């Protein structure tokens, strides 16, 4: 019916139920006049029609509190078994709470004009804090919906460097419905928090747009497949630097806690701390999430995982991490994927991560595994401090973190940053470019995949390591090394090398004095020094080692190796000339030359 209140129509004398009203009906090519009593109209035609908020006293002038009238209309529809509550193209102020309890109610607006404030269509204006504007609760509320409505909030703070949004509650709370409530074509203009759902499965959100300042959607205790499609969060209200940068530091587009099997597709967010934040609550974590197509722009994190044991899949994700309106400078501490948890499992098809301060992917905790089919990193290591494209923190005694790449990654404009950080027990595996089994070598001097090892790949080795060597890392580049005797070929003395790399002895690789291994007596150590002089002390070889321990030191560049007194070492040289001295008497040395030159031994050395 037109957007006119019945009370605005001309007054008439009181009518009785038996009064007859004419009805004109189209029939074929003509019109037929029928008649019905008012009692018949009430019990039949009018009984099943929806309601309009202005029939219950809503004004829609943007200043009168229309919440009581809207609540009265909802209560009336509930008494009639539910129905559609229509809102005309006006601005309705909501200054007190409205509840839909155990009734299936559709809140139907007249559409809206996207923009910074009320234009055409249906707008709900909220200017008062301390309450929840709309709450859906109760099992009979399942199937309710909110459609074609825009919401606006006011934030009085000046847009200066100290700006923060007014602390409004979520506009919509869906609580203990057990089933779904639908949101379709809803626009949030400068809204602090949008939709919160708890203990309500099968939530369906479609065509959600706007500028959310703190939280867009948050879901917890959802045990049955919520869905989010066609989400677009952008600077509809303002692109002021102080507003967007506040959101980049504190706002999350979507937050998931205990959530089973959420489907997300066609999602875009600009200017947030994170687009997808997977946390935890007392009810648990998110499992089996599915992200289809997603693009995060000017966001600190594309994917932020904080809940231990979170798992899910990503088809396509693009992330850009610049500070808003700062000429391409990245957000401090930002990264495309940040796993700040343990025991997670994430599979991704195609990832593109652009403009991050340090690493494109960062993983803390332990026993995390990421499987990525295709990875492209553009403009990482922005500070030029050697940050890798993938940062895997050392898990210590716990199960190491691992990243498995299905193909060689595409690294562009990384300022010389490596693919993986050194000094970690984290594992990086790259699949064969030809589709075969992965190479047994995870990382060798920055090379990945199917590699033919050269002598230059291992600092200080005179000859190559066989391609079949089960080498996880060489020369301290990425962590521990496991070598068998057959893995080292062509050294100066096979006997000395065999003693040093006995298959039964645990070993680590140390570059210069950058690492401090813990070794037991009779353990073997291969020590590859960096360019220039290196000093080997008791700390480098284990302060409590006994004399029976055997060590092989391989010097790969011109310089001097100094051995502290009392340290038992076997030296193998592959350069000419090279000299080995002792700091003072007492060192027991065995010096072997591979025939390429002369080895000079200082006077106190034996």
């Amino acid at each position: 019916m037109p957007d006119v209140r019945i009370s605005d129509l001309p007054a008439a004398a009181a009518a009785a139920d038996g009064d007859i009203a004419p009805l004109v009906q189209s029939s074929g090519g003509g019109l037929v006049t029928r008649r019905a009593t008012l009692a018949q109209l009430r019990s039949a035609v009018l009984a099943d029609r929806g309601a309009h908020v202005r029939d219950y006293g809503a004004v829609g002038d943007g200043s009168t509190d229309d919440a009581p009238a809207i609540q009265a209309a909802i209560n009336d529809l509930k008494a009639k078994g539910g129905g559609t509550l229509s809102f005309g193209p006006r601005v309705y102020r909501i200054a007190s709470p409205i509840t839909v309890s155990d009734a299936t109610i559709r809140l139907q607006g007249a559409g809206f004009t996207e923009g910074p404030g009320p234009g055409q269509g249906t707008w709900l204006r909220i200017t008062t804090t301390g309450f929840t504007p709309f709450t859906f609760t109760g099992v009979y509320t399942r199937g309710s919906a909110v459609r074609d409505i825009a919401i606006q909030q006011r934030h009085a703070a000046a847009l200066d460097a100290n700006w923060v949004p007014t602390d409004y509650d979520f506009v919509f709370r869906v609580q203990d419905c057990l089933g779904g409530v639908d949101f379709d074509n809803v626009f949030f203009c400068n809204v602090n928090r949008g939709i919160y759902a708890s203990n309500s499965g099968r939530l369906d959100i479609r065509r959600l747009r706007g500028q959310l300042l703190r939280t867009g959607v948050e879901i917890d205790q959802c045990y049955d497949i919520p869905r989010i499609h066609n989400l677009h969060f952008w600077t509809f209200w303002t692109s002021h630097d102080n507003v967007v940068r506040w959101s980049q530091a504190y706002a999350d587009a979507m937050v998931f806690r205990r959530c089973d099997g959420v489907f997300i597709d066609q999602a875009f967010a600009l200017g947030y701390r994170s687009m997808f934040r997977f946390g935890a609550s007392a009810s648990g974590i998110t499992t089996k999430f599915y992200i289809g197509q997603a693009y995060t722009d000017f966001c600190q994190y594309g994917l932020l995982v904080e809940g231990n044991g979170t798992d899910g899949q990503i088809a396509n994700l693009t992330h850009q991490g610049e500070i808003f309106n700062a000429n391409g400078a990245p957000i401090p501490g930002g990264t495309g994927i940040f796993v700040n948890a343990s025991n997670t499992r994430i599979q991704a098809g195609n990832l593109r991560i652009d403009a991050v301060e340090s690493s494109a992917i960062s993983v803390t905790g332990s026993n995390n595994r990421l499987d990525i089919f295709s990875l492209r990193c553009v403009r990482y290591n922005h500070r030029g401090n050697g940050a890798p494209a993938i940062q895997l923190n050392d898990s210590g005694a716990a199960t190491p973190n691992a990243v498995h790449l299905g193909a060689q990654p595409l690294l562009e404009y990384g300022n010389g940053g490596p693919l993986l950080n050194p000094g970690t027990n984290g594992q990086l595996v790259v699949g064969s470019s030809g589709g075969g089994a992965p190479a047994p070598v995870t990382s060798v001097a920055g090379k990945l995949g199917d590699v033919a090892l050269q002598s230059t790949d291992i600092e200080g080795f005179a000859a190559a390591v066989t391609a079949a060597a089960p080498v996880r890392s060489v020369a301290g580049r990425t962590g521990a090394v496991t070598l068998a005797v057959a893995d080292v070929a062509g050294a100066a003395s096979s006997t000395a090398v065999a003693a040093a790399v006995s298959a039964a002895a645990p070993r680590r690789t140390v570059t210069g004095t950058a690492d401090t291994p813990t070794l037991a007596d009779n353990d073997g150590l291969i020590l590859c020094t960096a360019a220039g002089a290196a000093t080997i002390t008791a700390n480098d070889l284990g302060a409590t080692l006994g004399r029976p321990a055997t060590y092989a030191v391989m010097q790969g560049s011109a310089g001097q190796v100094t051995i502290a007194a009392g340290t038992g070492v076997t030296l193998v040289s592959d350069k000419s000339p090279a000299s080995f001295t002792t700091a003072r008497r007492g060192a027991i040395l065995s010096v072997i030359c591979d025939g390429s030159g002369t080895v000079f031994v200082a006077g106190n050395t034996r």
Side-chain angles (χ1 to χ4, degrees), residues 506-520 523-530 533-545 549-553 560-565 567-569:
R507 294 162 296 278
R508 293 192 69 181
T509 294
V510 181
T511 302
T513 59
D515 199 354
T516 304
T518 301
L519 299 175
D523 287 347
L525 173 70
I526 297 177
L527 182 63
C528 300
T529 66
T535 300
I536 302 170
T537 67
N539 287 333
D540 295 326
L541 302 179
T544 61
L545 292 179
T550 304
Y551 314 100
V553 178
Q560 177 174 290
V561 177
T562 303
I563 310 298
T567 303
V569 177

Side-chain angles (χ1 to χ4, degrees), residues 95-117:
S96 53
I98 298 169
T99 300
V100 178
S101 177
D102 281 319
T104 304
I105 306 294
R106 174 189 293 180
L107 305 182
Q108 179 64 58
F112 50 82
T113 301
E114 288 182 353

Side-chain angles (χ1 to χ4, degrees), residues 319-344:
H319 170 81
Q320 289 186 220
E322 302 103 326
I323 300 172
F324 186 73
N325 199 22
N327 298 317
I331 301 171
T335 184
I337 294 180
F338 183 27
V339 178
N340 190 22
S342 296
N343 307 316
T344 66

Side-chain angles (χ1 to χ4, degrees), residues 228-232 264-268 275 292-295:
I228 301 175
H229 301 272
N230 298 321
L231 179 146
H232 193 100
I264 310 164
D265 199 11
Q266 302 295 327
F268 172 80
M275 182 171 190
Q293 318 294 325
Y295 179 17

